[in-house]
Structures are given as structure tokens and as C-alpha cells.
Amino acid sequence: MENKYFKTKNISYILLALLFLISFLLIPQKIYSDDDGEDEIINGFISAIESTNENTILSITDNNGVIYDIIITSDTVLGLDNAVGERWIDRFSNDINESIKRLNDQQNMLSPITILHHSKYAHSITTKNSENLKTNLNYLFIVFALAWLSFFGYLIYLSRRLLNIKEEIKLLKSK
Amino acid sequence: MKITKLNFINIFIIFTGIIVVIDMWMIFVWVPTEINQGAIQRILYLHVPVAWGSMAAICIVAFSSIMYLYKKAEKWDRIALSAAESGAIFGAMMLLSGMLWARPVWGVFWTGEAKLTFSLILFILFIAYLMFRAYFPKGIQQKRISAVIGIIGAIDTPIIYFAANLWERAHPPLIAGPAATSDSFISQNIILTLLFSVVTFTLVLSSLIFLRYTLRKNEDEIDLIIINKT
Amino acid sequence: MNPFKTIWNIAKRDLILELRRKEVLFTILGFSTLVLSIFVFSIDVNTKETQKIVPAIYWSAIIFSFTIALGRRFSIEIENGAFEALILSPISKDIIFFGKFTSNFILVLISSVFALPITSILFNINILKIEYLLLAIIISFGLSTLGTFFAIMSIKVRAREVMLSLVFFPAVTPLLFAGVDCMDKIIQNNNFSDIQSWIFFVLFYDAIFFLISLLLFDHILQE
Amino acid sequence: MKNQKNINLLEVSQLYKSFGNKKILENISFEMGKGEFVLITGSNGSGKTTLIRIISSLCSHDEGEIKIFQTSLKKEFEIVKSKIGFGMHNSMMYDDFTGKENLEYSSDLYGITNKKGNLKNIVDRFELTEILDKKIKYLSQGQIKRIANAKAFLNNPKLIILDEPDSGLDKQSQEILFREIIEEKKLGTSILLASHRLEKWIDIADQVLFMKNSSLINVTKDRKNLIF
């Protein structure tokens, strides 16, 4: 039973090569084509909030006094901390009056705001809580401690086993 | 002074140790704190090199598995095993540093963000390779099947990364915070430290692989001696 | 000996075997319905929020039931050496893979098509459209390619079910992403262009792993 | 009956196999010509089954060379397999199929032309008619063995490899098996048989190979005083 016409092995090699070629041409650029330009960041304080019927406009004065008018779209993401410091994260469209209320609090508390926007349409608005960013040094410490603990622990474990085995080999060889 | 196998490794490990100390100094002292995120941004100098390390580890596993299937030489199988073990540790660190970075900055441990999903699946792949190998009865078939898993896992890695990106594009997670644009703020020193850390962690990875390789070799040697004895 | 006839022979015999033994058939059909009904009890179904997670429930039910079925599928065939009879017969190893793959593909397809109406009844969403069938076909293709490969590979391993799922799930997550996301989009009846990139991705995934399994199949058969 | 030296059907040279740190086969070499009956005997667990599995490419070996019909085992060897009949230790059949369905499945796999006629001939030769229509799982070990042995003769092979075909068989079916093997031997089919029971096989064997703690001794000549 000679299945020469079914030489799947070399057919699969050719098909595999072809497929890699097509995939590199076709899929990636379709995906990454809609990545439109760089987003900019503004750090500053909320000076005024006007909400017209179709969208809400925030005017922000940044550290050196320049005033920007930022338009909040439906999918802008808000990450605002209240006085106690708990972070509240939600999309603007999910709960508009709650978001407006929170933005007003931020305005009264004059808390520093970081806005990530693309040609005036805001992607995300977050409280730049620099003081509690300092406090999370403990996360930094935990990560580095765990990293080095695991690396050196593994290293020591390996070298100890290596030494034991070396001795055993010497013992067995001498016997 | 004849450089025997063993003390070559010692020199290599001591050298890596020195490089690591310099790297730590650079990360914690030399590089300025990034204005946007503050101190927590220094996790970048651990997260990126470790991610690069686990990627390199899965590539080494794939390459040595293919060579083992092709050449049937024991040496390739040992490299695959050692790369997988160190890769698992690097994968765990990648996952951990990713999560502990997300917590202070985005306020949540886990989001649908592509990199986090990808590192979790990569970590599970490593664990699957090691567990499958440990539970399979010893012998040539065990080595051959582990090589096959290594190859499939490695081919799967870019595909999973791709799928994670597509998934993130379809379900954008609620990342409210400057971390989302951490890479838009790279100054000169930050790039230098990052590169140096990548070099350091590659050295750490290779010394771990080297050590595990020699250990594996000696284990085989003992088996041979026992066989000849009986 | 026409190879396609042998492939159909192997697949047909496997399916007859499963019909008689009913063990894998119950897992494929019964278990996925069980998983779906567990979710129905645990969440209140008719709010708009829960509609969003229906695709996730559907696809995880399919993948769970398939993994368990895979664990059972080859166990008896191996114990009394029937699989070795296949290896010893004068057919090339690729044909064995095709045959086993076809029977698994048909089983997964039955399971996913069978679970569609159940999901639409339990979660009262209308998901009986043609696109779902196309989606189910291409994803079942990917699932059964890797499923057959891993099932045959993990015959001799201890704690086989756990090891099989430990290796199978990470490899199949891209399909899970694609299935859930496409279904989500079809439910909100967006146009075809949204899920086009996913469809391309799944086709690429199926082709790649089908060929890789073919190339590596010899290595996992040799004892 | 010495065969012509040049065409060796099966050649095994310097075969080594060890499992973990236990040696199973050491420096096994033997040849087998056309129409020869070779008996491999030895106590249980002396490596007979492993040797058979290695020869039929079910199991890999560490060193050594195996040639069947002059083609080495490494190359794709389906064409060769169509001329070989295998009767392994386990039944190699599906429990939920009846004996008849199992035999039909094998003839499909071997691509036998007139399936019906060939099957009928095998069934008559091995007198299986009454146990053919029950599912394998309802049959006794002996009956399953009879069907498995018949399966090895299904594709009228040039070489038949049988591993413990007589275990669990009653007197009467042993007679049938013995008669069929002599029949095949006359037609020029060579047979490789591994068994730890000697009585009948030893008289008709052209070569007797005795396996003792993982090595092979050719005792064809002084087979009479074979004790182990």
C-alpha cells in the first residue's frame, strides 16, 4: 500500500512556511493601523466645570498657569481619590452625575489632577496623589525582596545539591 | 591554574554577583525618580528585564527541544530542562512584579491588561512543562514528550501575546492613571538603567541555567555509575 | 488503499465505539449542560449585565466538558492495546492522527451545536444565528487539533486528567478569547468587520497547530 | 531445513536496551531466514516481550540494528508492516466491538481486497464461529486469545510475530493453533514465537533461543537438555 500521493510530511513543511508569510503580512498591520498618534499629559488643578447638553468641558490650569479646556467623552475613565484616599475608578458614561459630583469635590479640594488626552479629548482623568505614591515604597520593597529571595534561594539550593552529588561521585568512584 | 569545569562556573557566578550589586546601586540611587509615578516606577527596572528573561528562557527551551528531537543528544534535553526551571522562576517574578505594580498605580491587583494576561499564561505554560515532565515515567519517551511540549509552548507564546492584545482592544480595562502611559516619559538615565538591568538579569538567567545544567549532568553521571556497578 | 477511506474508517469506528460506550457521549452533552445550569442557578439571568457574560459561560462549558471527555477517550483503547494495533497496521502515522482528529472534531462540534439552543433557552438571548455555527466550526477545529494531540501524548502520565488540562488550557486560551469576544459582538449584532480580525486569527491558529501536530506526531507515538 | 544464506528475513545485531538503571537486553543478535520457525523461550520477565516489542517497532532501543525484509526499522516502514502479522501479549482489540467487528476493522486497516472471503477462511481455520458474535468484554481470556491469534494470520503475512499465543488456551484450541502454525510453515511463512511453555514448540523449531538474565543463548543444537 504505497501512499506516495499522500506525502503529508513535505506538504506540511511547505504549507507551514507559506502560512508564516501570509500571517506576517495580513493580521498585524490590520490591528495596529488604528493606533492614532501620541497622547499628551497635563498636570494641574480643575478651575471650572461646564456641562452642556451634549458633553462636559473641564478647564484646567496647570502648574505654570496655562489654562486648557478638556472635553470629557463618554468613554473617559476617571480615577479620583476622595479625602480619605480611597481610589474610585469608573467610566464617565456609566454614572454621569456621580462623576460630576466627584469632579466638583476634586475642584473644591484643589487636589492635583493628571489628565491624559488626545487633541483635547480626555482618555483618563486621575488624581495625582503624589503623597500616597511615596508611601507605597513597601510594594517596591516587597517586589525586589521576593525577586532576590527566589533567585538566590534557587542558586543556593542548586549549588548545595551540586556539591552533595560531587561528593557522592567521588565516593562511588573510589569504591 | 587549569580552569576546570566547576570553578569556571564559580567565576561566572561571582562576576554576575558583582554586576547585580552595581545594578542595584543604579536602580535605587543613580536613576532619578520619575515625576509621574514616583518611587513605584522603579519596579520597571525589575519587571521589564524579568519579562525579557522569561521570553529568552522559552526560546531556549524551544530551540534545545528541537535540537533534541533532531539530534537525540542528551545535552539538549538538559539545557531544555534547566531553561524551563529558571524560566518558571522568571515567569513568576514577571507576574508578581506586574501585579504589585498595578496595585498602587491603578488601584487594582488584576485588570484585563494584555501584559498581565500574557504573563499569567506564560507562567502556567512553564509550570505545565515542569509538572508534566515530573509526572511522566522516566525514560527516553519522557524526554521526547517534554521536548514536544516545549516546542508547542514556545509556538503558543507569540500567539497568546497576540490574542491578549486583541482581547485588551476588545475589552479595554479600566486603567485610570498615569501608569498607562509610563513609556511616554523616558529620559536618558532611565533608558541606560533599564538596559543595564536587562543585561544583569540575562546574566542571572544564564548562571542559573549553567548551574542547573551541570547538576543535571552529574545526576546522569551517577545513574551511569550505578548501572555499571550492578 | 485510499487514505481518505482509512481516515473515515478510523473516525467512523471511534464514533460507533463512543455511541456504544455512551461514557464520552454523556460527558460531551451532559456535562456542558450541567455547567450551564449551574451558572443559571447562581446568577439572576435577566439583567442586562449578565447577558454580557453568557459567551464566557458557554465557551468554558464547552472546553471543560471536552477536556474531561478527552481524558476518558483514549484510556480504554490504550489499556488493551487497541491503539498499538493501529500503530502496527500498515498505515502512516499521519492517517492515524487524521482519523482520531476527525472523530474528536465531530464530537466537539456536536457538543457546541447542542449547547447553543440550551444557552439561548436558559439565558433567554436569541443566539440561533448562522454566524454562531461558523464560529463553532472553526473553534472546534482548533480545540480538537490540540485536544487529540495532548490526549495521545498524556496517556502514560500519572494523574492524567489534571496533567492534560494543565497543558491544554494555556494552549487553548487564544481560542477562548476569540470565541467569547466574537460571540459577544454577534449578540450585539455588530457588522462582520469587527470580528474579522478574530476570524483571521483563529484560522491562522488552527492551521499552525494542525501542521505542528502533524510534524510532531511521530515523536509522541514512539514508546 | 536450512534456508539460502543470503535472503535473511529478520536480522537483529548487537541490540541493547536498559530501562532507568536496569539492563533489560544486552548484546542480542540473531538471524531468521524465510520459512523458519524461531522459538524464543526463557522464564517470565527475562525480556522476551521487550525484545518482541522492539522488533515490531513499538518500543525504542538504545543501541543495535534491526532489519526486517532488508529495510532498517528507522525508515517509514508501513509497506513492510503489511507483510507482517502481529499477535502481541495484550489482546489489541476493542472491548465494545464483537470479535467479528474487530477482525473487520483489521482487514480494513490492512486493506484486504475480498474482506468477506478472507474472513470466512480465517474463521473456519480457527473454528471461531460460535464465539464471534459476542462482545469481547463478555468473552473469557482464552477465547479472546484465540481471536487475537487469528487476527495475526488475517493478512496472510510473510512473517508472523506471536508473543505468548498459547497462554490461557485450552487443550483443544492449542491443537488448532499448533496445526495452523505447521500449515503456515509449510507455505513458507516464517514465524517468530515467544513462549515460556516448551512441550510442543521445541520439536518443530528450526532455531531455539534461550533468554537468561537479559542475554540470549542459541541452544538450537542441545535443545533436549534445556532446563531453567
Side-chain angles (χ1 to χ4, degrees), chain C residues 1 6 9-10 13 16-17 20-21 77 79-82 84-92 100 218 222-223, chain D residues 53 56-60 76 78 81-82 86 90-97 101 105 108-111 135 151:
Chain C
M1 238 314 265
T6 342
N9 261 329
I10 298 175
R13 291 273 172 17
I16 297 167
L17 202 65
R20 288 205 183 147
R21 247 184 340 166
E77 200 168 333
E79 261 129 47
N80 48 31
E84 274 167 11
L86 268 179
I87 299 173
L88 288 175
S89 51
I91 50 175
S92 80
K100 293 293 170 188
D218 297 0
Q222 252 282 333
E223 212 185 72
Chain D
R53 284 177 73 86
S56 35
S57 83
L58 277 179
C59 183
S60 61
E76 281 299 327
E78 300 102 62
K81 272 192 249 179
S82 59
F86 295 94
N90 44 30
S91 73
M92 295 212 300
M93 283 193 284
Y94 294 89
D95 281 0
D96 292 87
F97 280 158
E101 277 157 354
Y105 192 8
D108 283 349
L109 291 178
Y110 280 98
K135 283 201 177 136
K151 198 150 87 85

Side-chain angles (χ1 to χ4, degrees), chain A residues 89 116 126 136 143 154 161-162, chain B residues 46 85 106 176 181 218-219:
Chain A
I89 298 174
L116 170 74
T126 48
N136 47 34
V143 172
Y154 185 53
R161 256 177 73 183
L162 187 60
Chain B
L46 174 75
E85 274 191 16
W106 298 331
T181 61
N218 292 328
E219 275 163 8

Side-chain angles (χ1 to χ4, degrees), chain A residues 154 157-158 161, chain B residues 57-58 61 77-92 122-138 142-143 145-150 153 212 216, chain C residues 157-158 163 166-167 170:
Chain A
Y154 185 53
Y157 165 72
L158 283 183
R161 256 177 73 183
Chain B
I58 197 96
V61 168
D77 171 63
R78 291 188 202 119
I79 299 175
L81 174 65
S82 355
E85 274 191 16
S86 350
I89 292 188
F90 270 61
L122 185 65
F123 177 58
I124 299 176
L125 266 177
F126 274 121
I127 297 297
Y129 177 89
L130 293 173
M131 293 270 284
F132 206 95
R133 190 185 181 108
Y135 270 70
F136 206 93
K138 287 257 169 306
Q142 174 204 23
K143 297 191 174 73
I145 294 226
S146 323
V148 166
I149 298 179
R212 184 69 181 96
R216 188 83 191 92
Chain C
V157 79
R158 289 201 318 276
M163 284 303 132
L166 188 64
V167 177

Side-chain angles (χ1 to χ4, degrees), chain D:
Chain D
M1 176 195 91
K2 255 306 136 258
N3 72 313
Q4 309 89 330
K5 207 58 205 114
N6 42 34
I7 40 149
N8 275 341
L9 213 65
L10 167 69
E11 282 161 43
V12 175
S13 42
Q14 280 100 26
L15 190 68
Y16 285 83
K17 169 79 181 176
S18 65
F19 190 67
N21 45 27
K22 199 165 78 59
K23 283 188 221 138
I24 299 170
L25 297 173
E26 261 174 299
N27 192 5
I28 308 277
S29 317
F30 68 95
E31 273 111 27
M32 193 171 150
K34 191 169 179 311
E36 253 188 83
F37 179 98
V38 173
L39 173 68
I40 300 178
T41 178
S43 61
N44 274 347
S46 57
K48 298 199 297 295
T49 309
T50 324
L51 177 59
I52 295 281
R53 284 177 73 86
I54 290 176
I55 290 174
S56 35
S57 83
L58 277 179
C59 183
S60 61
H61 54 278
D62 303 344
E63 283 158 48
E65 183 61 40
I66 295 174
K67 274 200 168 19
I68 300 187
F69 297 104
Q70 271 80 44
T71 59
S72 103
L73 207 56
K74 289 282 169 294
K75 286 204 285 305
E76 281 299 327
F77 109 126
E78 300 102 62
I79 316 118
V80 170
K81 272 192 249 179
S82 59
K83 300 198 208 100
I84 305 177
F86 295 94
M88 285 298 149
H89 203 55
N90 44 30
S91 73
M92 295 212 300
M93 283 193 284
Y94 294 89
D95 281 0
D96 292 87
F97 280 158
T98 65
K100 192 164 180 303
E101 277 157 354
N102 270 304
L103 291 177
E104 267 157 13
Y105 192 8
S106 292
S107 32
D108 283 349
L109 291 178
Y110 280 98
I112 294 160
T113 40
N114 66 343
K115 238 167 45 170
K116 290 272 172 301
N118 188 10
L119 194 64
K120 194 159 174 358
N121 160 18
I122 292 288
V123 166
D124 298 344
R125 274 171 64 184
F126 282 83
E127 291 149 16
L128 303 169
T129 30
E130 72 288 345
I131 56 169
L132 215 48
D133 297 328
K134 284 207 287 278
K135 283 201 177 136
I136 295 288
K137 58 184 175 202
Y138 300 136
L139 295 177
S140 75
Q141 270 309 327
Q143 289 162 332
I144 296 176
K145 204 60 181 168
R146 278 169 62 192
I147 300 177
N149 294 343
K151 198 150 87 85
F153 293 71
L154 198 60
N155 54 350
N156 46 59
K158 294 284 172 297
L159 163 68
I160 300 175
I161 300 178
L162 295 169
D163 188 2
E164 307 276 354
D166 46 10
S167 72
L169 290 188
D170 55 22
K171 209 87 205 89
Q172 210 245 345
S173 9
Q174 273 185 17
E175 284 313 318
I176 298 169
L177 179 67
F178 189 63
R179 185 194 72 214
E180 280 317 315
I181 285 189
I182 294 172
E183 201 60 45
E184 284 295 330
K185 195 164 168 331
K186 284 206 194 70
L187 296 172
T189 326
S190 31
I191 295 150
L192 178 69
L193 193 136
S195 167
H196 62 279
R197 290 225 297 272
L198 298 173
E199 316 89 277
K200 287 194 289 308
W201 305 124
I202 205 136
D203 321 332
I204 60 168
D206 297 322
Q207 268 192 58
V208 178
L209 310 170
F210 176 61
M211 291 279 287
K212 197 150 190 345
N213 47 46
S214 78
S215 58
L216 193 78
I217 314 146
N218 190 328
V219 292
T220 325
K221 284 174 234 40
D222 47 13
R223 69 183 77 171
K224 286 294 162 289
N225 42 38
L226 184 69
I227 40 127
F228 52 87

Side-chain angles (χ1 to χ4, degrees), chain B residues 160-173:
Chain B
I160 291 172
Y161 186 76
F162 207 76
N165 277 341
L166 274 180
W167 177 259
E168 193 202 11
R169 194 168 296 280
H171 297 268

